[in-house]
């Protein structure tokens, strides 16, 4: 059967997009060898390959093609940039050296070392390369794009482990006795308005929610200040959303509202309350107002209130952070917080598959800053300090 050039062209048009360079060359060589005299020229015209490539294919077919996954023979292709510029790697390594930012003579001391920046600087030093080449060389040097890693901690107190053990034992004792244990903290303050919010949610394609270009706070609306109470035993949360100031009075007012509406109903026989909190902020261990307000709460409710503060720098172990606040952030991702009422509704709609339920309330109360607590007022609070 005679094979026409048109038939060969049709075959190569169908197969070539699915073949790599070596496979096309071997196919051309096999066809040329099968056609015999004049086959190389015909295959070259039909496939669009050069006659030299078709001839190379017949040579490989004659010698038996090697079984390999390489598309090119060793040494084939464009020479590496380092082949004609041996000093290129050394120059690049000097630019990305971790100490280069602190070196006063480094040209990139205060510059983000992107591949384009590195390529420009290498070109200025007499090593012209593209940004893509720089990326490949960096990978060969064992470098990669990396963010900073929060792993370096300051000096730890020798009693750090004991502090955690004491807090854990307090919680276990209270829970075993059916007494309430709560974790409290202030969530990040949120600017209220038709503003962008981090994260994404499903929307009709091409119809994103339109928000303001600039995230400037509106002084007439203010910010939302969510203060949370997480009940460890019930896996339930309470959040008061304030619009004034994050003070100790606001923090204790939130605990008071939780107890009045939720706590005393869930724990009718309770005589004690354990509060776990961060060491700083409105519920910090140094705050006099926090101690005075808790004293008032204890007197009002008849509860013996025990407070265990997490050691400084360990707030991420506070249960409210990853059991309540993280879930709230995921629930309102990508949604503009246009009003305090929307913030309350989104917090109250937060649930998890493991059964978390959250109640939220707007607190329009006034909580001024700068309230001074005298020594006499603090001394009137019946405090029993822990041994730590």
């Amino acid at each position: 059967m005679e094979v026409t050039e048109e038939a060969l062209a049709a075959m190569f048009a169908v197969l070539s997009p699915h073949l790599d360079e070596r496979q096309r060359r071997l196919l051309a060589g096999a066809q040329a060898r099968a056609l015999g005299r004049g086959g190389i020229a015909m295959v070259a015209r039909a496939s669009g390959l050069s006659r030299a490539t078709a001839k190379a294919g017949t040579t490989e077919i004659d010698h038996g093609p090697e079984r390999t996954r390489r598309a090119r023979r060793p040494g084939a292709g464009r020479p590496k940039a380092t082949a004609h510029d041996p000093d290129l790697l050394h120059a690049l390594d000097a630019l990305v050296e971790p100490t280069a930012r602190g070196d006063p003579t480094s040209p990139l001391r205060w510059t983000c070392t992107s591949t384009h920046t590195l390529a420009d600087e290498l070109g200025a030093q007499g090593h012209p390369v593209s940004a893509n080449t720089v990326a490949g060389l960096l990978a060969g040097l064992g470098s990669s794009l990396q963010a900073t890693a929060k792993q370096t901690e300051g000096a730890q107190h020798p009693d750090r482990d004991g502090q955690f053990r004491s807090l854990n034992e307090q919680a276990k004792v209270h829970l075993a006795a059916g007494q309430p244990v709560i974790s409290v903290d202030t969530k990040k303050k949120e600017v209220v308005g038709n503003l962008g919010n981090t994260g994404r949610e499903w929307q009709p394609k091409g119809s994103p929610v339109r928000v303001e270009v600039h995230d400037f706070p509106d002084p007439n609306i203010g910010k939302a200040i969510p203060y949370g109470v997480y009940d460890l035993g019930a896996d339930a949360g309470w959040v008061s959303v304030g619009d004034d100031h994050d003070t100790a009075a606001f923090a204790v007012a939130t605990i008071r509202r939780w107890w009045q509406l939720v706590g005393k109903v869930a724990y009718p026989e309770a005589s004690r309350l354990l509060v776990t909190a961060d060491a700083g902020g409105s519920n910090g261990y140094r705050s006099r107002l926090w101690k005075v307000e808790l004293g008032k709460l204890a007197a009002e409710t008849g509860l013996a209130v025990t407070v265990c503060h997490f050691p400084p720098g360990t707030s991420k172990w506070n249960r409210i952070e990853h059991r309540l606040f993280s879930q709230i952030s995921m629930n309102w991702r990508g949604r503009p917080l246009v009003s305090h009422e929307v913030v309350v509704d989104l917090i109250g709609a937060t649930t998890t598959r493991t059964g978390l339920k959250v109640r939220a309330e707007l607190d329009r109360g006034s909580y001024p800053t700068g309230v001074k607590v005298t020594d006499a007022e603090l001394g009137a609070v019946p405090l029993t300090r822990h041994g730590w």
Side-chain angles (χ1 to χ4, degrees):
M1 182 180 68
E2 183 180 359
V3 179
T4 64
E5 189 172 321
E6 290 75 11
L8 283 175
M11 180 192 68
F12 276 103
V14 172
L15 295 179
S16 289
H18 306 287
L19 305 177
D20 61 30
E21 179 182 321
R22 178 172 181 269
Q23 291 168 338
R24 285 193 295 271
R25 185 175 65 248
L26 290 176
L27 177 60
Q31 288 291 336
R33 183 58 70 220
L35 290 172
R37 184 178 178 85
I40 292 177
M42 181 185 295
V43 168
R45 291 192 302 269
S47 64
L49 301 174
S50 68
R51 293 186 60 163
T53 299
K55 182 174 176 52
T58 60
T59 302
E60 288 187 62
I61 293 296
D62 291 341
H63 289 84
E66 178 185 1
R67 290 183 175 272
T68 177
R69 294 185 178 181
R70 292 179 59 95
R72 294 180 176 179
R73 296 186 302 276
R78 179 182 298 178
K80 293 184 178 180
T82 53
H84 56 77
D85 190 352
D87 297 329
L88 176 60
L89 274 182
H90 177 74
L92 177 60
D93 191 42
L95 290 178
V96 298
E97 176 68 25
T99 58
R101 284 180 182 264
D103 181 3
T105 63
S106 172
L108 301 181
R109 182 182 179 188
W110 305 115
T111 304
C112 178
T113 51
S114 67
T115 54
H116 289 279
T117 303
L118 291 169
D120 292 342
E121 181 57 32
L122 287 170
Q125 294 182 13
H127 307 283
V129 290
S130 68
N132 288 339
T133 300
V134 170
L137 293 174
L138 288 173
L141 289 172
S143 297
S144 63
L145 285 173
Q146 300 178 48
T148 55
K150 292 184 178 181
Q151 294 181 345
T152 304
E153 299 187 20
Q156 292 192 4
H157 195 280
D159 290 334
R160 174 63 53 84
D161 185 62
Q163 290 170 329
F164 274 105
R165 290 181 181 275
S166 174
L167 191 154
N168 185 55
E169 287 301 318
Q170 289 272 6
K172 287 170 61 177
V173 169
H174 277 74
L175 290 172
Q179 304 294 328
V181 178
I182 60 174
S183 171
V184 301
D185 197 11
T186 307
K187 193 181 185 303
K188 181 177 73 71
K189 300 177 180 65
E190 301 289 344
V191 180
V192 179
N194 190 31
L195 309 173
N197 197 0
T198 57
R200 296 180 294 177
E201 68 169 348
W202 290 101
Q203 296 283 356
K205 189 173 182 179
S207 301
V209 176
R210 263 61 178 180
V211 297
E212 302 292 337
V213 175
H214 302 291
D215 294 340
F216 297 135
D218 187 340
N220 297 321
I221 300 179
K223 294 184 177 181
I225 308 170
Y227 191 91
V229 175
Y230 175 69
D231 185 342
L232 274 67
D235 189 22
W238 171 278
V239 180
S240 289
V241 179
D243 63 353
D244 191 41
H245 296 98
D246 178 23
T247 65
F250 173 55
V252 177
T254 301
I255 298 174
R256 180 179 290 109
R257 288 292 291 169
W258 167 80
W259 176 253
Q260 292 172 345
L261 298 180
V262 179
K264 69 179 182 180
V265 177
Y267 303 94
E269 304 297 326
S271 60
R272 292 177 287 165
L273 171 65
L274 175 62
V275 180
T276 63
D278 293 349
S282 57
N283 45 234
Y285 73 98
R286 292 181 180 274
S287 173
R288 288 188 164 203
L289 185 59
W290 165 252
K291 297 171 185 175
V292 169
E293 292 293 332
L294 282 178
K296 294 178 182 177
L297 176 65
E300 294 170 12
T301 60
L303 296 171
V305 179
T306 302
V307 181
C308 288
H309 283 100
F310 283 87
T314 62
S315 61
K316 61 185 176 181
W317 277 275
N318 198 348
R319 292 293 293 275
I320 195 171
E321 293 287 349
H322 46 88
R323 287 296 301 143
L324 179 61
F325 288 166
S326 62
Q327 305 300 330
I328 293 172
S329 296
M330 287 190 289
N331 188 55
W332 70 25
R333 65 184 184 273
R335 300 188 184 186
L337 307 176
V338 296
S339 67
H340 288 83
E341 289 74 13
V342 168
V343 173
V344 170
D345 289 343
L346 287 171
I347 292 175
T350 302
T351 59
T352 65
R353 293 181 179 179
T354 57
L356 172 70
K357 293 181 175 59
V358 184
R359 292 179 62 178
E361 181 181 76
L362 185 59
D363 186 344
R364 293 289 190 183
S366 176
Y367 302 99
T369 59
V371 176
K372 301 295 183 182
V373 176
T374 65
D375 291 343
E377 291 174 319
L378 182 62
V381 180
L383 289 174
T384 302
R385 300 183 182 277
H386 288 162
W388 294 107

